[in-house]
Every structure is written in structure tokens, then in C-alpha cells.
Amino acid sequence: MIELYTWGTPNGRKVSVMLEECGLPYNVHRVDIGKGDQFAPEYLEINPNGKIPSIVDPDGPDGKPIAMMESGAILVYLAGKTGRFLPASARGKYVALQWLMFQMGHVGPTYGQVHHFLRAAKVEVPYAVERYVKEKDRLYGVLDRRLGAARFLAGDEYTIADIATYPWVARYEWHKTDLATFPNVKRWFDTIGARPAVQRGMAVPG
């Protein structure tokens, strides 16, 4: 049984969606980041960076327990463990990994900054709002062009790149985006959102 340490954020839901898609049994541990649970000494032993999500797999690659942090790394690990959602071919694998890195390096950080400055900043910072909203829209354009040329981010196959990106797009209302403006993203978003495993994973931790 995999132990999942998470909270109701896009990064957390990447992993719960992946676990549901893989059909792996797991226990959920709620890490309330609003209360600072992520900085508890016992949690820092699992995740030295004090972020969510994390997993502990008692059946690691060498038969011993392994603790994993960083959502992208966890997705790669679970794909390797199960042989699912990462293409078998070298070309397909690297295409999927580049779009995973696109999410990790661009979509997540940028959308997160938009959420912060639109919803959480204690004072208005017009420069920051303009900067990050403009970049958010540019990234939606990148996604829309890619999804106009391919069914999923890595091509015809649903992969961890889609699993990583979907929870961030699912907060389109938070970053004030009309998905109708990006019809290829909307088609992709609706397709993935209809998957039962995605629906279950997005409801974690409940």
C-alpha cells in the first residue's frame, strides 16, 4: 500500500490521479499546508523540501521502502513501476518527458504565480499581475497549438504529461481564463476530465 501525503492542490492531484489511473492501492495522509503541516519534523523526514505531494512506497525498486518527493519525479517513478502512461518507444518517451518538463518548468510555476497575485496577495501588484497573466496566456497558446496537432500532449497516447498538466488547467477559473478561447485545450480538457480515474483522483484528499 503506497502512502500518499497530499493536499488539494494541482501538484497534489497529479499524483492521486496517477495512482487512480494505475489502479495502485494507497492511503491518503492530509498535509494541511495552510496550517504548516508540511514543516512538521516527521514530514520533513519524508520530504526535506517541505512541500506536497510525497509518497512512501514500501515496495521500492530494490524491494525496500522508498520515499519520493517532487510531483514530476513521482509520476515518472509510478510510470516505471507499473509500465503505464509513459511510451515504450525511446522517441515517445522523450516527447512525453519534454511536455512533462514543460508543465513542471512553465505551466505550474506561472499559473501558481497568477493564482497568488490574483487571489492571495495582500496588496495589489499590477506589474506582477500583468507579467504573469501575459505569460499564462502565452503558455495556453503553446498548449493550444500543440493540441491542435496531436490528440494528447505527447501524441496519440495519454501520458504522464497530460496527467501533470490537467490539474493546473482545471483551475482555469482561478486564473481567469475562458477555455473557449483555446478550443484545442478545451477539447483535451473535456476528454481527460471524463475519465473516471481522473475524477476520483481530483477528489483527493476530499
Side-chain angles (χ1 to χ4, degrees), residues 154-176:
D156 291 333
E157 187 176 343
Y158 174 67
T159 72
I160 56 176
D162 303 291
I163 291 171
T165 306
Y166 176 85
W168 282 101
V169 176
R171 285 194 167 172
Y172 64 91
E173 292 179 338
W174 280 36
H175 46 254
K176 297 185 179 180

Side-chain angles (χ1 to χ4, degrees), residues 106-121 125 127-140 168 171-177:
H106 298 279
V107 171
T110 298
Y111 291 13
Q113 292 293 342
V114 173
H115 297 166
H116 175 78
F117 286 107
L118 286 180
R119 296 171 59 89
V125 188
Y127 169 77
V129 171
E130 181 181 5
R131 172 183 171 83
Y132 288 112
V133 167
K134 183 177 180 180
E135 178 64 0
K136 177 264 298 182
D137 289 338
R138 186 190 75 82
L139 293 173
Y140 265 107
W168 282 101
R171 285 194 167 172
Y172 64 91
E173 292 179 338
W174 280 36
H175 46 254
K176 297 185 179 180
T177 298

Side-chain angles (χ1 to χ4, degrees), residues 1-3 24-25 55-68 74 76-78 80-82:
M1 185 80 74
I2 290 175
E3 306 298 325
L24 291 169
I55 64 167
V56 176
D57 183 359
D59 182 23
D62 52 2
K64 298 177 182 178
I66 185 172
M68 294 286 302
I74 295 170
V76 173
Y77 171 76
L78 294 174
K81 181 181 178 72
T82 61

Side-chain angles (χ1 to χ4, degrees), residues 146-196:
R146 172 58 180 168
L147 293 167
R151 185 181 179 201
F152 297 107
L153 287 172
D156 291 333
E157 187 176 343
Y158 174 67
T159 72
I160 56 176
D162 303 291
I163 291 171
T165 306
Y166 176 85
W168 282 101
V169 176
R171 285 194 167 172
Y172 64 91
E173 292 179 338
W174 280 36
H175 46 254
K176 297 185 179 180
T177 298
D178 180 1
L179 287 188
T181 307
F182 304 99
N184 299 313
V185 173
K186 186 169 189 314
R187 183 268 308 162
W188 166 89
F189 179 77
D190 291 343
T191 297
I192 293 176
R195 296 175 68 94

Side-chain angles (χ1 to χ4, degrees), residues 4-174:
L4 169 63
Y5 298 82
T6 192
W7 193 240
T9 70
N11 284 335
R13 286 170 173 161
K14 294 176 193 177
V15 178
S16 52
V17 167
M18 181 66 170
L19 288 165
E20 290 287 346
E21 288 281 18
C22 292
L24 291 169
Y26 63 100
N27 289 319
V28 177
H29 303 266
R30 297 165 65 92
V31 181
D32 189 337
I33 60 176
K35 295 181 178 178
D37 291 354
Q38 69 273 33
F39 302 120
E42 59 270 24
Y43 184 68
L44 291 174
E45 291 182 8
I46 297 168
N47 187 326
N49 194 34
K51 299 286 186 178
I52 62 96
S54 305
I55 64 167
V56 176
D57 183 359
D59 182 23
D62 52 2
K64 298 177 182 178
I66 185 172
M68 294 286 302
M69 65 179 189
E70 294 299 316
S71 58
I74 295 170
L75 293 183
V76 173
Y77 171 76
L78 294 174
K81 181 181 178 72
T82 61
R84 302 190 68 190
F85 307 113
L86 191 59
S89 71
R91 180 178 296 273
K93 177 177 71 174
Y94 291 124
V95 171
L97 288 175
Q98 76 174 355
W99 285 103
L100 175 65
M101 296 303 113
F102 174 76
Q103 186 284 308
M104 299 296 298
H106 298 279
V107 171
T110 298
Y111 291 13
Q113 292 293 342
V114 173
H115 297 166
H116 175 78
F117 286 107
L118 286 180
R119 296 171 59 89
K122 294 180 180 179
V123 296
E124 283 193 37
V125 188
Y127 169 77
V129 171
E130 181 181 5
R131 172 183 171 83
Y132 288 112
V133 167
K134 183 177 180 180
E135 178 64 0
K136 177 264 298 182
D137 289 338
R138 186 190 75 82
L139 293 173
Y140 265 107
V142 174
L143 289 171
D144 201 63
R145 288 189 294 275
R146 172 58 180 168
L147 293 167
R151 185 181 179 201
F152 297 107
L153 287 172
D156 291 333
E157 187 176 343
Y158 174 67
T159 72
I160 56 176
D162 303 291
I163 291 171
T165 306
Y166 176 85
W168 282 101
V169 176
R171 285 194 167 172
Y172 64 91
E173 292 179 338
W174 280 36

